[in-house]
Amino acid sequence: MFGKSNNAVYTVPLVPDPGSTIMAIVAGTRLGPYAIIAPLGAGGMGEIWRAKDTRLDREVAIKVLPAGFAANDLFRQRFEREAKAISQLNHPNICTLYDVGQVESGDALQVTGLTPSKSQIHYIVMELLEGESLSERLKRGPLPVHEVLRCGREIASALDAAHRRGIIHRDLKPGNIILTKSGAKLLDFGLARTMADSKAPLDGVTGLPTEAEPLTAQGTILGTFQYMSPEQLEGLEADARTDIFAFGAVLYEMATGRRAFQGKSKTSLIAAIVSSQPAPISSVAPMTPPALDHLIRKCLEKDPDDRWQSAHDVSSQLQWISEAGTQAGVATPVTIRRKTRERIAWSFAALLFTLLAAVSWIHFGSRSEEVTPIRSYLHPPEGTKFDFSESSIAGLAVSPDGKKIAFTASDESDHSHVYVRFLDKLEARKLTGTQDANQPFWSPDSRFIAFFANGKLKKVDISGAPPLTLCDAPIGRSGAWNKEGIILFSPSTLEPIHQVRDSGGKSVPVTKLDVSAGETTHRWAHFLPDSKHFLYMAGTHTLGAQSEANAIYAGTLDSIEDRKLILHARSNAVYASSHLIYVRDNNLVAQRFDPDKLETTGDPFTLAEGVSYSLGMFRGTFSASTTGILAYASGVSDEKNQIMWFNRQGKELVNVGEPGRWDYVCLSPDDLRAAVSSFDPNKGASDIWLIDLERNVESKFTFGELDAAYPVWSPDGSKLLYAAYGKDPTGMKSKFSLKPTDGNAQPESIYETKNLAYTDDWSPDGRYVIFSESTAGGEMDLYYIDLEHAEKPVPLLKPDFNYEYGWFSPDGRWVAFTSNEAGSYQLYVMSFPDGKSKWQVSRGGVSGALSWRPGEILFKGSEGKIMSVRVENHGDSIRLSNPEVLFINPRIQDFDLSHDGRRIIATVLPETAKAGSVTLVTNWNK
């Protein structure tokens, strides 16, 4: 549509409406504040010009509606519809709309000396793109497979964003896709309609989109027909699945270099689209993954009900194909070119496992009593790490059939995913749609995995389908799944065990807390062989780790009241091979157990020493199957960290206070005090402390709260706002409390919710508080409260994606926040409170920590990078620099920037902190 390729301007032929007059615009013409520089060609029914925005001193692209078109109500409405459609979309793979306007042609052309007319010039101002159209690129042949998958994901993501806003593109084709260095960009929404409008049918073929290129020698223009769905050609209702058909045709052409449907005439082309199937991709491009061929064929189904039903599904499938490698059917020569470090590690472990098993069988035959345990190490996939810290609640789960192991690992951006390792395969595979997942557990048939993410319990088919949400789980704790389709889990840290069907629905409790005994939590459910009885741990946050309230019980689905004490322990427990396995004093032990009598016999014996154990979470990191497979993590989960001052170059200046389990840190407005949250492992929850930075003295600030965290200073430093978590007779709740910092006054509650919520920031004028809260769909969203008018919370953005970590600018007119709307978590800045202006700031990802001081935003990027963005205020607008790396320190967990911008205070992991390792034991029970 417009842009540059290798610094050369390219154009798309303009196809005017018969009888229209092209506006005589030349260099120097001004359209309002925009000075025309040069033509860039045409797109749809408009002329595209390169122009200069004289207000913001930047180059833009302007689409101008020619005078002949402007006089036609139909074309003028279509032009206005394009502007409205683009204005509703803010996505990194959709061309950004800057402005719309109209001027009298006489005013616009007075610079040129032409005779003014009395008509109006309508125009749209958009970002100027550097790149080439996909149609131009395809003239050089098909794209490599990895580019097809990458560009396909980006285009599908753009379509998904449009469809979520109720907008159907209806003219998707290679000419409307620009390939830039930052990714593919979707353009030209001139035919877009909202889903509410889409029921109005096209007027036969006369309502077809504008065509860009001729197909026949006679010049018949059929370029867009190749991408139209059967229902469009029949004049029927268009919906999101119409775009999916066009997208399939575009993908086919990207992979093969050929159009999916061809014909020598308009009639034969339409007949091909309606009744025939394109040649298999494998017959044209043999190296294409079969899974991609299947995806495209499903996009191109004639009946909309047989296609993928959403662009999100298509994007997820493309992501899975890209990540799954040979398990998605990638052709061997493509796979061979991948990095081999992880494969070598897995291959060695698998080969050793196979050889030892084979030798054992050959040598000992059927004499199973002589089989001995075999130990080997498992390693995380390349570019990831196991993380057994308190915050990540890393997961490890052996499948019931003993053939697979699921685990969570974090990537360079510190976001965790669920991976599945088939023990007879060479690689672990990341499951699509499991970002920020924790605590995976298996279905009894070893086909599905359940996990927690974003306040929801979800399940995913390990074959690659997108996850399904089952129910709410604000702070979920891992569960169990029986063969009758019942899942047990704990929806929060302060709840009894709940049950829910594996098809989803509302969960109901199956145990009851004994409050009189001090119990505050039931968790770590595990089904016994009869699928009716189950093990679980009852624990206390308030009486300490050695309290007798910490115990393992056997419950039953038949009664919420009935239970039997098995033993006293502050640990999860699993039953496998006639033994109960649990953690005692950081050792993994096993003890004989009769699941029918619900009794232990004999003394426990040690299976492994130094097993990763989290006192605060009441759990050890281990899993076992009835087939004799045991997996456990080694290392210490409860290492203390240090609060520390750094200069801007990352040099350590001085320690603050003593080492502890410090988490969130926030500086007072005068930089003389710091408010921090600290995890108490005996209590199993957090408290807030104040640190006098001049005297280096710590003092506890919150008392009586079961769990308190995320402190935020008032603008004058006289009060602290923080989030407190507890429960009432109706269940879990989050509460925002306000408390003076200079006395023992009781906290004042300003907001309560049944959802998980975090306090983020307080506006400089003291009027607004911004916070993050989970939504009904499981995402996080940003809200603000007007303290002056005691109004209900107002959403800052529509909850289409995850939005969190809001932070006000020093003048209170802007808000910085993180969002995953670009596919990964990035930093954004938006005008407050109107939200009229919004920009993506980062490109390489963010991991939460954020601070905005005069002239600068600091945030934590991937791989421990501390990033800086310079900020210039220009009245109603701001100018942001590209992010620059100040320094790299992967041990920094959270930080705040001093108000003079010269120092950084941070919570820092010790240098000895390790991710831990996973040991796999075969025949542990022999």
Side-chain angles (χ1 to χ4, degrees), residues 117 167 401 707 745:
S117 68
I167 297 170
D401 62 12
D707 201 349

Side-chain angles (χ1 to χ4, degrees), residues 557-602:
L557 297 177
D558 294 337
S559 171
I560 195 173
E561 301 284 349
D562 290 349
R563 68 175 184 176
K564 181 177 181 179
L565 174 65
I566 305 300
L567 54 85
H568 289 285
R570 189 180 173 103
S571 170
N572 50 323
V574 302
Y575 172 78
S577 302
S578 303
H579 287 80
L580 201 64
I581 306 173
Y582 57 99
V583 175
R584 173 174 290 178
D585 298 327
N586 277 100
N587 293 329
L588 189 63
V589 300
Q591 189 171 4
R592 297 289 298 186
F593 180 74
D594 186 330
D596 296 320
K597 296 180 179 179
L598 301 177
E599 294 177 353
T600 59
T601 58

Side-chain angles (χ1 to χ4, degrees), residues 872-913:
E872 295 180 11
N873 285 0
H874 296 275
D876 292 335
S877 65
I878 58 174
R879 181 173 296 173
L880 304 167
S881 72
N882 289 325
E884 297 181 354
V885 179
L886 286 186
F887 61 91
I888 301 176
N889 190 331
R891 295 189 294 124
I892 288 180
Q893 301 300 291
D894 189 59
F895 70 82
D896 198 3
L897 177 64
S898 64
H899 288 73
D900 62 9
R902 299 174 61 184
R903 296 185 300 165
I904 298 168
I905 191 170
T907 56
V908 185
L909 290 174
E911 293 183 0
T912 56

Side-chain angles (χ1 to χ4, degrees), residues 443-690:
S443 63
D445 60 5
S446 301
R447 289 183 50 213
F448 293 85
I449 291 175
F451 62 92
F452 299 94
N454 303 316
K456 299 291 181 180
L457 173 63
K458 303 181 179 184
K459 72 173 183 180
V460 62
D461 189 328
I462 64 172
S463 65
L468 298 175
T469 297
L470 301 180
C471 64
D472 293 332
I475 314 177
R477 294 294 178 256
S478 189
W481 196 334
N482 75 2
K483 56 189 177 184
E484 275 73 45
I486 294 176
I487 292 177
L488 299 182
F489 72 104
S490 306
S492 77
T493 60
L494 305 172
E495 293 284 327
I497 304 294
H498 280 225
Q499 71 169 345
V500 67
R501 299 294 307 182
D502 59 12
S503 57
K506 183 177 178 58
S507 68
V508 295
V510 294
T511 64
K512 183 178 180 181
L513 294 172
D514 186 352
V515 179
S516 63
E519 292 180 4
T520 58
T521 182
H522 289 173
R523 55 180 71 185
W524 316 131
H526 176 84
F527 271 113
L528 292 172
D530 65 1
S531 286
K532 182 178 72 173
H533 291 88
F534 56 91
L535 302 171
Y536 69 94
M537 197 216 75
T540 176
H541 292 84
T542 58
L543 302 179
Q546 305 305 317
S547 170
E548 288 196 355
N550 299 311
I552 296 171
Y553 287 88
T556 175
L557 297 177
D558 294 337
S559 171
I560 195 173
E561 301 284 349
D562 290 349
R563 68 175 184 176
K564 181 177 181 179
L565 174 65
I566 305 300
L567 54 85
H568 289 285
R570 189 180 173 103
S571 170
N572 50 323
V574 302
Y575 172 78
S577 302
S578 303
H579 287 80
L580 201 64
I581 306 173
Y582 57 99
V583 175
R584 173 174 290 178
D585 298 327
N586 277 100
N587 293 329
L588 189 63
V589 300
Q591 189 171 4
R592 297 289 298 186
F593 180 74
D594 186 330
D596 296 320
K597 296 180 179 179
L598 301 177
E599 294 177 353
T600 59
T601 58
D603 295 326
F605 58 91
T606 301
L607 296 176
E609 298 179 349
V611 171
S612 177
Y613 172 76
S614 170
L615 186 63
M617 299 299 170
F618 312 171
R619 72 184 293 275
T621 306
F622 67 91
S623 179
S625 72
T626 57
T627 61
I629 301 294
L630 170 69
Y632 64 88
S634 301
V636 180
S637 301
D638 296 312
E639 290 189 271
K640 297 181 179 180
N641 55 18
Q642 177 69 59
I643 302 175
M644 188 180 298
W645 280 109
F646 293 82
N647 65 13
R648 293 182 61 84
Q649 290 72 46
K651 180 181 179 181
E652 299 178 2
L653 300 177
V654 64
N655 290 346
V656 177
E658 296 297 323
R661 293 177 176 86
W662 307 112
D663 186 10
Y664 187 88
V665 58
C666 184
L667 284 170
S668 64
D670 57 9
D671 289 339
L672 298 180
R673 291 179 293 177
V676 296
S677 56
S678 175
F679 181 78
D680 182 346
N682 289 316
K683 178 181 174 184
S686 294
D687 289 302
I688 294 173
W689 293 65
L690 294 183

Side-chain angles (χ1 to χ4, degrees), residues 103-127:
V103 296
E104 295 292 337
S105 58
D107 296 335
L109 299 178
Q110 61 186 358
V111 177
T112 69
L114 298 176
T115 301
S117 68
K118 294 183 180 181
S119 61
Q120 288 187 325
I121 299 177
H122 298 257
Y123 62 88
I124 302 173
V125 185
M126 293 172 283
E127 65 175 317

Side-chain angles (χ1 to χ4, degrees), residues 338-418:
R338 296 184 174 180
K339 294 181 180 180
T340 59
R341 184 183 306 169
E342 176 194 349
R343 173 172 294 181
I344 291 172
W346 284 117
S347 298
F348 180 79
L351 181 60
L352 177 62
F353 175 82
T354 304
L355 287 176
L356 288 174
V359 170
S360 176
W361 182 85
I362 293 171
H363 183 69
F364 294 106
S366 61
R367 294 177 291 171
S368 59
E369 69 277 5
E370 298 185 27
V371 176
T372 58
I374 302 171
R375 296 176 184 264
S376 59
Y377 290 103
L378 299 183
H379 303 281
E382 185 176 2
T384 71
K385 61 182 179 181
F386 295 130
D387 184 0
F388 304 133
S389 62
E390 286 285 6
S391 58
S392 67
I393 322 174
L396 191 64
V398 177
S399 63
D401 62 12
K403 297 179 180 180
K404 299 173 281 288
I405 183 169
F407 58 88
T408 54
S410 56
D411 55 23
E412 293 177 349
S413 63
D414 288 335
H415 291 290
S416 64
H417 291 81
V418 176

Side-chain angles (χ1 to χ4, degrees), residues 151-164:
C151 294
R153 291 197 309 271
E154 293 168 348
I155 299 165
S157 178
L159 285 175
D160 180 44
H163 294 166
R164 286 173 182 263

